[in-house]
Amino acid sequence: MLLRNLVDFEDLTRAEWEALYESCSRIIERPSDFIDTCRGKVACNLFYEPSTRTNFSFQAAMLRLGGSVFGFADPNSSSVAKGETLKDTVKMVSGYSDVIVIRSPREGAAKAAALYSNVPVINAGDGGHMHPTQTMTDLTTITRLRGSVDGLSIGLCGDLKNGRTVHSLIKALAKFEGIKFYLISPRELSVPEYIRIFMKENRQWNVEVTNLDAVMPQLDVLYMTRIQRERFTDPLEYERNRGVYILTKRKLERAKERLLVMHPLPRVDEIAPDVDDDPRAVYFQQAQFGMYIRMALLADLANQEKKAPAPVPMGGHRRCGNPSCITKDEWYLPPLTKRIGEVDYCAYCDKAVGERAEQ
Ligand code: CP
């Protein structure tokens, strides 16, 4: 694979994705063939934000490939607490490791880290923006359990504004054919503008609705998400929306027999425990597939040659209006924008530059 970093699923072609999926399938079928694939390699996990699945599955993946892992799950236990910048942290640990896995509450953090790293950087979730290895987990689950992703009707339900797994999945599915999206959310938690523009540019069929029950019979996949309390600046907005969708066994009576009920997890209350024993509920299997696809990814990226990054010009980033953008803290980052139509977008967080992000 030519991939150097995994910041966004857009970094991959469909052919590269399919090669990675094939590698994942070989690992699932004969894991003992891969126990030395990363022997002598070291991953550094920089988790600036809580995680169970992503952190542990990356650790388990590296250990199962014969490699080792170090890092932090709490930035307050590192020199980040003394004010060390992301740039300096990354420059340091890229001298100690063969691959960096980073999660941050700041949108665009992985993109920024990749600018300064000698080793591949993997985005393990950046704020409410993207989570490409969760998307790999999701695509692996659908492909393993349904044979193909093309042509499916997919309901994305919950907090579509702040849910990074939803944004990543929508972008990735532009590489597939005949997908229909049912975007199920309260109006104030609908997908952000840059995702709406992306869907339009890529001619992705979609309909936005507020009622889950009304579309249930149409769905091949129901992808539930939690209301992301930690992303709300207004606690009242969270209170208005919490508990708005709760999937129960009774609600599934109108669903297809072969529906897949998926969830990136953690869940709060949006899937009742009585759904767990329904054969259509695959979210725990999904989390396990996440470890295997991360094994395939690490097998490739951790074995690449170290390479010094190109010199990065200094700071002066035109102030991005998104209060969660990485450029808000890391002032030295170079100005990176991309133009779509008449509008400039921040290349770190994808929000329109010069405008306050919708909250
Ligand atoms: N799905 C997911 O990202 O879970 P964690 O936050 O526990 O890593």
Side-chain angles (χ1 to χ4, degrees), residues 1-33:
M1 196 161 63
L2 293 173
L3 190 65
R4 174 70 187 167
N5 302 296
L6 180 70
V7 170
D8 189 315
F9 199 91
E10 282 191 319
D11 296 337
L12 285 169
T13 62
R14 177 153 174 181
E16 283 171 331
W17 160 249
E18 284 171 357
L20 196 68
Y21 176 78
E22 287 311 314
S23 164
C24 172
S25 297
R26 285 193 294 276
I27 293 170
I28 292 172
E29 267 125 51
R30 292 177 64 92
S32 59
D33 287 358

PDB file of all heavy atoms in Angstrom, residues 1-33:
ATOM      1  N   MET A   1       0.847  -1.196   0.000  1.00  0.00           N
ATOM      2  CA  MET A   1       0.000   0.000   0.000  1.00  0.00           C
ATOM      3  C   MET A   1       0.883   1.246   0.000  1.00  0.00           C
ATOM      4  O   MET A   1       1.900   1.276   0.667  1.00  0.00           O
ATOM      5  CB  MET A   1      -0.882  -0.045   1.260  1.00  0.00           C
ATOM      6  CG  MET A   1      -2.035   0.890   1.213  1.00  0.00           C
ATOM      7  SD  MET A   1      -3.338   0.445   2.393  1.00  0.00           S
ATOM      8  CE  MET A   1      -2.504   0.621   3.955  1.00  0.00           C
ATOM      9  N   LEU A   2       0.465   2.276  -0.696  1.00  0.00           N
ATOM     10  CA  LEU A   2       1.256   3.507  -0.773  1.00  0.00           C
ATOM     11  C   LEU A   2       0.973   4.452   0.390  1.00  0.00           C
ATOM     12  O   LEU A   2       1.661   5.447   0.584  1.00  0.00           O
ATOM     13  CB  LEU A   2       0.926   4.247  -2.085  1.00  0.00           C
ATOM     14  CG  LEU A   2       1.363   3.534  -3.348  1.00  0.00           C
ATOM     15  CD1 LEU A   2       0.850   4.264  -4.579  1.00  0.00           C
ATOM     16  CD2 LEU A   2       2.886   3.437  -3.392  1.00  0.00           C
ATOM     17  N   LEU A   3      -0.043   4.116   1.156  1.00  0.00           N
ATOM     18  CA  LEU A   3      -0.473   4.994   2.244  1.00  0.00           C
ATOM     19  C   LEU A   3       0.686   5.309   3.185  1.00  0.00           C
ATOM     20  O   LEU A   3       1.397   4.418   3.625  1.00  0.00           O
ATOM     21  CB  LEU A   3      -1.572   4.267   3.009  1.00  0.00           C
ATOM     22  CG  LEU A   3      -2.355   5.045   4.057  1.00  0.00           C
ATOM     23  CD1 LEU A   3      -3.155   6.151   3.389  1.00  0.00           C
ATOM     24  CD2 LEU A   3      -3.295   4.101   4.791  1.00  0.00           C
ATOM     25  N   ARG A   4       0.849   6.598   3.527  1.00  0.00           N
ATOM     26  CA  ARG A   4       1.901   6.979   4.473  1.00  0.00           C
ATOM     27  C   ARG A   4       1.275   7.255   5.846  1.00  0.00           C
ATOM     28  O   ARG A   4       1.772   6.809   6.865  1.00  0.00           O
ATOM     29  CB  ARG A   4       2.631   8.217   3.935  1.00  0.00           C
ATOM     30  CG  ARG A   4       3.645   8.795   4.889  1.00  0.00           C
ATOM     31  CD  ARG A   4       4.864   7.886   5.055  1.00  0.00           C
ATOM     32  NE  ARG A   4       5.751   8.388   6.098  1.00  0.00           N
ATOM     33  CZ  ARG A   4       6.741   7.703   6.642  1.00  0.00           C
ATOM     34  NH1 ARG A   4       6.997   6.473   6.243  1.00  0.00           N
ATOM     35  NH2 ARG A   4       7.490   8.222   7.578  1.00  0.00           N
ATOM     36  N   ASN A   5       0.196   8.032   5.845  1.00  0.00           N
ATOM     37  CA  ASN A   5      -0.533   8.323   7.091  1.00  0.00           C
ATOM     38  C   ASN A   5      -1.987   7.954   6.868  1.00  0.00           C
ATOM     39  O   ASN A   5      -2.464   7.947   5.736  1.00  0.00           O
ATOM     40  CB  ASN A   5      -0.464   9.817   7.419  1.00  0.00           C
ATOM     41  CG  ASN A   5       0.961  10.309   7.543  1.00  0.00           C
ATOM     42  OD1 ASN A   5       1.691   9.891   8.425  1.00  0.00           O
ATOM     43  ND2 ASN A   5       1.374  11.179   6.642  1.00  0.00           N
ATOM     44  N   LEU A   6      -2.716   7.701   7.945  1.00  0.00           N
ATOM     45  CA  LEU A   6      -4.163   7.566   7.823  1.00  0.00           C
ATOM     46  C   LEU A   6      -4.797   8.669   8.667  1.00  0.00           C
ATOM     47  O   LEU A   6      -4.978   8.518   9.869  1.00  0.00           O
ATOM     48  CB  LEU A   6      -4.662   6.194   8.276  1.00  0.00           C
ATOM     49  CG  LEU A   6      -6.184   6.078   8.126  1.00  0.00           C
ATOM     50  CD1 LEU A   6      -6.593   6.025   6.658  1.00  0.00           C
ATOM     51  CD2 LEU A   6      -6.735   4.883   8.860  1.00  0.00           C
ATOM     52  N   VAL A   7      -5.081   9.788   8.002  1.00  0.00           N
ATOM     53  CA  VAL A   7      -5.686  10.936   8.674  1.00  0.00           C
ATOM     54  C   VAL A   7      -7.187  10.937   8.406  1.00  0.00           C
ATOM     55  O   VAL A   7      -7.995  11.242   9.273  1.00  0.00           O
ATOM     56  CB  VAL A   7      -5.014  12.246   8.178  1.00  0.00           C
ATOM     57  CG1 VAL A   7      -5.768  13.466   8.663  1.00  0.00           C
ATOM     58  CG2 VAL A   7      -3.558  12.291   8.653  1.00  0.00           C
ATOM     59  N   ASP A   8      -7.532  10.592   7.163  1.00  0.00           N
ATOM     60  CA  ASP A   8      -8.917  10.634   6.692  1.00  0.00           C
ATOM     61  C   ASP A   8      -9.071   9.416   5.784  1.00  0.00           C
ATOM     62  O   ASP A   8      -8.099   9.037   5.103  1.00  0.00           O
ATOM     63  CB  ASP A   8      -9.093  11.940   5.896  1.00  0.00           C
ATOM     64  CG  ASP A   8     -10.527  12.246   5.526  1.00  0.00           C
ATOM     65  OD1 ASP A   8     -11.236  11.329   5.075  1.00  0.00           O
ATOM     66  OD2 ASP A   8     -10.931  13.411   5.659  1.00  0.00           O
ATOM     67  N   PHE A   9     -10.255   8.831   5.736  1.00  0.00           N
ATOM     68  CA  PHE A   9     -10.436   7.672   4.831  1.00  0.00           C
ATOM     69  C   PHE A   9     -10.171   8.082   3.383  1.00  0.00           C
ATOM     70  O   PHE A   9      -9.846   7.245   2.547  1.00  0.00           O
ATOM     71  CB  PHE A   9     -11.847   7.094   4.998  1.00  0.00           C
ATOM     72  CG  PHE A   9     -11.972   5.689   4.489  1.00  0.00           C
ATOM     73  CD1 PHE A   9     -11.756   4.606   5.331  1.00  0.00           C
ATOM     74  CD2 PHE A   9     -12.282   5.440   3.159  1.00  0.00           C
ATOM     75  CE1 PHE A   9     -11.839   3.298   4.857  1.00  0.00           C
ATOM     76  CE2 PHE A   9     -12.387   4.144   2.675  1.00  0.00           C
ATOM     77  CZ  PHE A   9     -12.158   3.066   3.528  1.00  0.00           C
ATOM     78  N   GLU A  10     -10.264   9.383   3.082  1.00  0.00           N
ATOM     79  CA  GLU A  10      -9.968   9.868   1.732  1.00  0.00           C
ATOM     80  C   GLU A  10      -8.521   9.588   1.330  1.00  0.00           C
ATOM     81  O   GLU A  10      -8.179   9.651   0.150  1.00  0.00           O
ATOM     82  CB  GLU A  10     -10.232  11.373   1.642  1.00  0.00           C
ATOM     83  CG  GLU A  10     -11.697  11.708   1.518  1.00  0.00           C
ATOM     84  CD  GLU A  10     -11.924  13.167   1.172  1.00  0.00           C
ATOM     85  OE1 GLU A  10     -11.216  14.021   1.744  1.00  0.00           O
ATOM     86  OE2 GLU A  10     -12.806  13.442   0.365  1.00  0.00           O
ATOM     87  N   ASP A  11      -7.651   9.310   2.315  1.00  0.00           N
ATOM     88  CA  ASP A  11      -6.254   8.987   1.999  1.00  0.00           C
ATOM     89  C   ASP A  11      -6.129   7.676   1.235  1.00  0.00           C
ATOM     90  O   ASP A  11      -5.075   7.381   0.675  1.00  0.00           O
ATOM     91  CB  ASP A  11      -5.417   8.883   3.293  1.00  0.00           C
ATOM     92  CG  ASP A  11      -5.344  10.203   4.043  1.00  0.00           C
ATOM     93  OD1 ASP A  11      -5.540  11.251   3.408  1.00  0.00           O
ATOM     94  OD2 ASP A  11      -5.103  10.180   5.263  1.00  0.00           O
ATOM     95  N   LEU A  12      -7.183   6.863   1.236  1.00  0.00           N
ATOM     96  CA  LEU A  12      -7.165   5.539   0.607  1.00  0.00           C
ATOM     97  C   LEU A  12      -7.982   5.530  -0.683  1.00  0.00           C
ATOM     98  O   LEU A  12      -9.059   6.116  -0.724  1.00  0.00           O
ATOM     99  CB  LEU A  12      -7.874   4.527   1.501  1.00  0.00           C
ATOM    100  CG  LEU A  12      -7.248   3.970   2.746  1.00  0.00           C
ATOM    101  CD1 LEU A  12      -8.312   3.208   3.519  1.00  0.00           C
ATOM    102  CD2 LEU A  12      -6.116   3.045   2.403  1.00  0.00           C
ATOM    103  N   THR A  13      -7.497   4.799  -1.681  1.00  0.00           N
ATOM    104  CA  THR A  13      -8.353   4.507  -2.833  1.00  0.00           C
ATOM    105  C   THR A  13      -9.212   3.292  -2.469  1.00  0.00           C
ATOM    106  O   THR A  13      -8.912   2.581  -1.496  1.00  0.00           O
ATOM    107  CB  THR A  13      -7.516   4.150  -4.077  1.00  0.00           C
ATOM    108  OG1 THR A  13      -6.781   2.961  -3.767  1.00  0.00           O
ATOM    109  CG2 THR A  13      -6.556   5.273  -4.448  1.00  0.00           C
ATOM    110  N   ARG A  14     -10.228   3.029  -3.281  1.00  0.00           N
ATOM    111  CA  ARG A  14     -11.037   1.845  -2.993  1.00  0.00           C
ATOM    112  C   ARG A  14     -10.185   0.577  -3.152  1.00  0.00           C
ATOM    113  O   ARG A  14     -10.312  -0.364  -2.366  1.00  0.00           O
ATOM    114  CB  ARG A  14     -12.276   1.787  -3.905  1.00  0.00           C
ATOM    115  CG  ARG A  14     -13.061   0.518  -3.634  1.00  0.00           C
ATOM    116  CD  ARG A  14     -14.513   0.606  -3.922  1.00  0.00           C
ATOM    117  NE  ARG A  14     -15.138  -0.712  -3.763  1.00  0.00           N
ATOM    118  CZ  ARG A  14     -16.402  -0.975  -3.953  1.00  0.00           C
ATOM    119  NH1 ARG A  14     -17.227  -0.001  -4.284  1.00  0.00           N
ATOM    120  NH2 ARG A  14     -16.893  -2.182  -3.805  1.00  0.00           N
ATOM    121  N   ALA A  15      -9.297   0.573  -4.139  1.00  0.00           N
ATOM    122  CA  ALA A  15      -8.444  -0.615  -4.340  1.00  0.00           C
ATOM    123  C   ALA A  15      -7.551  -0.829  -3.114  1.00  0.00           C
ATOM    124  O   ALA A  15      -7.341  -1.975  -2.684  1.00  0.00           O
ATOM    125  CB  ALA A  15      -7.605  -0.441  -5.594  1.00  0.00           C
ATOM    126  N   GLU A  16      -7.037   0.265  -2.546  1.00  0.00           N
ATOM    127  CA  GLU A  16      -6.196   0.131  -1.347  1.00  0.00           C
ATOM    128  C   GLU A  16      -7.022  -0.382  -0.168  1.00  0.00           C
ATOM    129  O   GLU A  16      -6.559  -1.203   0.618  1.00  0.00           O
ATOM    130  CB  GLU A  16      -5.544   1.474  -0.995  1.00  0.00           C
ATOM    131  CG  GLU A  16      -4.373   1.812  -1.903  1.00  0.00           C
ATOM    132  CD  GLU A  16      -3.858   3.222  -1.704  1.00  0.00           C
ATOM    133  OE1 GLU A  16      -4.638   4.120  -1.324  1.00  0.00           O
ATOM    134  OE2 GLU A  16      -2.663   3.434  -1.946  1.00  0.00           O
ATOM    135  N   TRP A  17      -8.262   0.112  -0.066  1.00  0.00           N
ATOM    136  CA  TRP A  17      -9.131  -0.393   0.994  1.00  0.00           C
ATOM    137  C   TRP A  17      -9.353  -1.903   0.825  1.00  0.00           C
ATOM    138  O   TRP A  17      -9.259  -2.675   1.774  1.00  0.00           O
ATOM    139  CB  TRP A  17     -10.469   0.360   1.036  1.00  0.00           C
ATOM    140  CG  TRP A  17     -11.505  -0.453   1.761  1.00  0.00           C
ATOM    141  CD1 TRP A  17     -12.603  -1.042   1.240  1.00  0.00           C
ATOM    142  CD2 TRP A  17     -11.469  -0.846   3.151  1.00  0.00           C
ATOM    143  NE1 TRP A  17     -13.263  -1.776   2.194  1.00  0.00           N
ATOM    144  CE2 TRP A  17     -12.583  -1.669   3.376  1.00  0.00           C
ATOM    145  CE3 TRP A  17     -10.599  -0.586   4.205  1.00  0.00           C
ATOM    146  CZ2 TRP A  17     -12.857  -2.235   4.613  1.00  0.00           C
ATOM    147  CZ3 TRP A  17     -10.860  -1.150   5.451  1.00  0.00           C
ATOM    148  CH2 TRP A  17     -11.983  -1.956   5.647  1.00  0.00           C
ATOM    149  N   GLU A  18      -9.630  -2.310  -0.421  1.00  0.00           N
ATOM    150  CA  GLU A  18      -9.924  -3.731  -0.650  1.00  0.00           C
ATOM    151  C   GLU A  18      -8.706  -4.606  -0.342  1.00  0.00           C
ATOM    152  O   GLU A  18      -8.836  -5.703   0.211  1.00  0.00           O
ATOM    153  CB  GLU A  18     -10.447  -3.946  -2.072  1.00  0.00           C
ATOM    154  CG  GLU A  18     -11.900  -3.487  -2.143  1.00  0.00           C
ATOM    155  CD  GLU A  18     -12.496  -3.424  -3.535  1.00  0.00           C
ATOM    156  OE1 GLU A  18     -11.772  -3.686  -4.515  1.00  0.00           O
ATOM    157  OE2 GLU A  18     -13.695  -3.088  -3.623  1.00  0.00           O
ATOM    158  N   ALA A  19      -7.507  -4.100  -0.644  1.00  0.00           N
ATOM    159  CA  ALA A  19      -6.286  -4.860  -0.327  1.00  0.00           C
ATOM    160  C   ALA A  19      -6.137  -4.992   1.190  1.00  0.00           C
ATOM    161  O   ALA A  19      -5.773  -6.051   1.716  1.00  0.00           O
ATOM    162  CB  ALA A  19      -5.072  -4.163  -0.936  1.00  0.00           C
ATOM    163  N   LEU A  20      -6.450  -3.901   1.894  1.00  0.00           N
ATOM    164  CA  LEU A  20      -6.357  -3.935   3.370  1.00  0.00           C
ATOM    165  C   LEU A  20      -7.382  -4.909   3.946  1.00  0.00           C
ATOM    166  O   LEU A  20      -7.083  -5.677   4.870  1.00  0.00           O
ATOM    167  CB  LEU A  20      -6.598  -2.518   3.907  1.00  0.00           C
ATOM    168  CG  LEU A  20      -6.184  -2.257   5.340  1.00  0.00           C
ATOM    169  CD1 LEU A  20      -4.665  -2.307   5.487  1.00  0.00           C
ATOM    170  CD2 LEU A  20      -6.685  -0.884   5.793  1.00  0.00           C
ATOM    171  N   TYR A  21      -8.581  -4.889   3.372  1.00  0.00           N
ATOM    172  CA  TYR A  21      -9.636  -5.794   3.841  1.00  0.00           C
ATOM    173  C   TYR A  21      -9.218  -7.262   3.595  1.00  0.00           C
ATOM    174  O   TYR A  21      -9.445  -8.122   4.457  1.00  0.00           O
ATOM    175  CB  TYR A  21     -10.967  -5.480   3.129  1.00  0.00           C
ATOM    176  CG  TYR A  21     -12.038  -6.458   3.520  1.00  0.00           C
ATOM    177  CD1 TYR A  21     -12.694  -6.338   4.738  1.00  0.00           C
ATOM    178  CD2 TYR A  21     -12.364  -7.534   2.698  1.00  0.00           C
ATOM    179  CE1 TYR A  21     -13.649  -7.266   5.137  1.00  0.00           C
ATOM    180  CE2 TYR A  21     -13.317  -8.458   3.077  1.00  0.00           C
ATOM    181  CZ  TYR A  21     -13.957  -8.319   4.293  1.00  0.00           C
ATOM    182  OH  TYR A  21     -14.882  -9.245   4.685  1.00  0.00           O
ATOM    183  N   GLU A  22      -8.606  -7.518   2.443  1.00  0.00           N
ATOM    184  CA  GLU A  22      -8.137  -8.895   2.159  1.00  0.00           C
ATOM    185  C   GLU A  22      -7.097  -9.326   3.184  1.00  0.00           C
ATOM    186  O   GLU A  22      -7.093 -10.452   3.670  1.00  0.00           O
ATOM    187  CB  GLU A  22      -7.537  -8.978   0.737  1.00  0.00           C
ATOM    188  CG  GLU A  22      -8.570  -8.933  -0.376  1.00  0.00           C
ATOM    189  CD  GLU A  22      -9.719  -9.909  -0.147  1.00  0.00           C
ATOM    190  OE1 GLU A  22      -9.455 -11.070   0.197  1.00  0.00           O
ATOM    191  OE2 GLU A  22     -10.889  -9.501  -0.287  1.00  0.00           O
ATOM    192  N   SER A  23      -6.205  -8.382   3.512  1.00  0.00           N
ATOM    193  CA  SER A  23      -5.176  -8.678   4.511  1.00  0.00           C
ATOM    194  C   SER A  23      -5.827  -8.969   5.863  1.00  0.00           C
ATOM    195  O   SER A  23      -5.451  -9.909   6.581  1.00  0.00           O
ATOM    196  CB  SER A  23      -4.222  -7.473   4.548  1.00  0.00           C
ATOM    197  OG  SER A  23      -3.445  -7.477   5.669  1.00  0.00           O
ATOM    198  N   CYS A  24      -6.846  -8.185   6.216  1.00  0.00           N
ATOM    199  CA  CYS A  24      -7.593  -8.386   7.465  1.00  0.00           C
ATOM    200  C   CYS A  24      -8.252  -9.780   7.464  1.00  0.00           C
ATOM    201  O   CYS A  24      -8.210 -10.496   8.469  1.00  0.00           O
ATOM    202  CB  CYS A  24      -8.637  -7.278   7.601  1.00  0.00           C
ATOM    203  SG  CYS A  24      -9.778  -7.518   8.958  1.00  0.00           S
ATOM    204  N   SER A  25      -8.828 -10.160   6.335  1.00  0.00           N
ATOM    205  CA  SER A  25      -9.495 -11.471   6.256  1.00  0.00           C
ATOM    206  C   SER A  25      -8.487 -12.599   6.476  1.00  0.00           C
ATOM    207  O   SER A  25      -8.786 -13.581   7.167  1.00  0.00           O
ATOM    208  CB  SER A  25     -10.168 -11.651   4.891  1.00  0.00           C
ATOM    209  OG  SER A  25     -11.157 -10.678   4.744  1.00  0.00           O
ATOM    210  N   ARG A  26      -7.288 -12.432   5.906  1.00  0.00           N
ATOM    211  CA  ARG A  26      -6.252 -13.473   6.107  1.00  0.00           C
ATOM    212  C   ARG A  26      -5.868 -13.556   7.580  1.00  0.00           C
ATOM    213  O   ARG A  26      -5.665 -14.641   8.126  1.00  0.00           O
ATOM    214  CB  ARG A  26      -5.014 -13.170   5.250  1.00  0.00           C
ATOM    215  CG  ARG A  26      -5.212 -13.465   3.761  1.00  0.00           C
ATOM    216  CD  ARG A  26      -3.894 -13.469   3.003  1.00  0.00           C
ATOM    217  NE  ARG A  26      -3.248 -12.165   2.965  1.00  0.00           N
ATOM    218  CZ  ARG A  26      -3.537 -11.207   2.088  1.00  0.00           C
ATOM    219  NH1 ARG A  26      -4.457 -11.411   1.167  1.00  0.00           N
ATOM    220  NH2 ARG A  26      -2.916 -10.050   2.129  1.00  0.00           N
ATOM    221  N   ILE A  27      -5.806 -12.397   8.251  1.00  0.00           N
ATOM    222  CA  ILE A  27      -5.454 -12.388   9.686  1.00  0.00           C
ATOM    223  C   ILE A  27      -6.550 -13.077  10.497  1.00  0.00           C
ATOM    224  O   ILE A  27      -6.268 -13.885  11.393  1.00  0.00           O
ATOM    225  CB  ILE A  27      -5.223 -10.941  10.178  1.00  0.00           C
ATOM    226  CG1 ILE A  27      -3.968 -10.342   9.519  1.00  0.00           C
ATOM    227  CG2 ILE A  27      -5.105 -10.887  11.699  1.00  0.00           C
ATOM    228  CD1 ILE A  27      -3.784  -8.854   9.739  1.00  0.00           C
ATOM    229  N   ILE A  28      -7.809 -12.789  10.176  1.00  0.00           N
ATOM    230  CA  ILE A  28      -8.919 -13.410  10.918  1.00  0.00           C
ATOM    231  C   ILE A  28      -8.871 -14.933  10.747  1.00  0.00           C
ATOM    232  O   ILE A  28      -9.058 -15.690  11.701  1.00  0.00           O
ATOM    233  CB  ILE A  28     -10.285 -12.850  10.436  1.00  0.00           C
ATOM    234  CG1 ILE A  28     -10.424 -11.375  10.842  1.00  0.00           C
ATOM    235  CG2 ILE A  28     -11.448 -13.668  10.987  1.00  0.00           C
ATOM    236  CD1 ILE A  28     -11.634 -10.662  10.260  1.00  0.00           C
ATOM    237  N   GLU A  29      -8.577 -15.372   9.514  1.00  0.00           N
ATOM    238  CA  GLU A  29      -8.614 -16.813   9.254  1.00  0.00           C
ATOM    239  C   GLU A  29      -7.403 -17.561   9.812  1.00  0.00           C
ATOM    240  O   GLU A  29      -7.535 -18.663  10.321  1.00  0.00           O
ATOM    241  CB  GLU A  29      -8.773 -17.071   7.748  1.00  0.00           C
ATOM    242  CG  GLU A  29     -10.246 -17.234   7.378  1.00  0.00           C
ATOM    243  CD  GLU A  29     -10.706 -16.287   6.278  1.00  0.00           C
ATOM    244  OE1 GLU A  29     -10.031 -16.238   5.240  1.00  0.00           O
ATOM    245  OE2 GLU A  29     -11.730 -15.589   6.489  1.00  0.00           O
ATOM    246  N   ARG A  30      -6.226 -16.941   9.765  1.00  0.00           N
ATOM    247  CA  ARG A  30      -5.009 -17.637  10.242  1.00  0.00           C
ATOM    248  C   ARG A  30      -4.153 -16.685  11.070  1.00  0.00           C
ATOM    249  O   ARG A  30      -3.044 -16.298  10.661  1.00  0.00           O
ATOM    250  CB  ARG A  30      -4.202 -18.160   9.046  1.00  0.00           C
ATOM    251  CG  ARG A  30      -4.911 -19.308   8.296  1.00  0.00           C
ATOM    252  CD  ARG A  30      -4.090 -19.711   7.079  1.00  0.00           C
ATOM    253  NE  ARG A  30      -2.794 -20.246   7.469  1.00  0.00           N
ATOM    254  CZ  ARG A  30      -2.552 -21.532   7.673  1.00  0.00           C
ATOM    255  NH1 ARG A  30      -3.525 -22.415   7.542  1.00  0.00           N
ATOM    256  NH2 ARG A  30      -1.338 -21.948   8.014  1.00  0.00           N
ATOM    257  N   PRO A  31      -4.628 -16.301  12.258  1.00  0.00           N
ATOM    258  CA  PRO A  31      -3.883 -15.298  13.048  1.00  0.00           C
ATOM    259  C   PRO A  31      -2.463 -15.748  13.387  1.00  0.00           C
ATOM    260  O   PRO A  31      -1.554 -14.910  13.500  1.00  0.00           O
ATOM    261  CB  PRO A  31      -4.744 -15.128  14.311  1.00  0.00           C
ATOM    262  CG  PRO A  31      -5.712 -16.250  14.324  1.00  0.00           C
ATOM    263  CD  PRO A  31      -5.868 -16.732  12.925  1.00  0.00           C
ATOM    264  N   SER A  32      -2.253 -17.053  13.495  1.00  0.00           N
ATOM    265  CA  SER A  32      -0.913 -17.533  13.882  1.00  0.00           C
ATOM    266  C   SER A  32       0.136 -17.235  12.809  1.00  0.00           C
ATOM    267  O   SER A  32       1.334 -17.210  13.100  1.00  0.00           O
ATOM    268  CB  SER A  32      -0.961 -19.028  14.199  1.00  0.00           C
ATOM    269  OG  SER A  32      -1.418 -19.713  13.059  1.00  0.00           O
ATOM    270  N   ASP A  33      -0.299 -16.994  11.575  1.00  0.00           N
ATOM    271  CA  ASP A  33       0.673 -16.653  10.514  1.00  0.00           C
ATOM    272  C   ASP A  33       1.257 -15.252  10.701  1.00  0.00           C
ATOM    273  O   ASP A  33       2.191 -14.871   9.997  1.00  0.00           O
ATOM    274  CB  ASP A  33      -0.012 -16.684   9.130  1.00  0.00           C
ATOM    275  CG  ASP A  33      -0.308 -18.106   8.662  1.00  0.00           C
ATOM    276  OD1 ASP A  33       0.054 -19.045   9.399  1.00  0.00           O
ATOM    277  OD2 ASP A  33      -0.895 -18.257   7.585  1.00  0.00           O
TER     278      ASP A  33
END
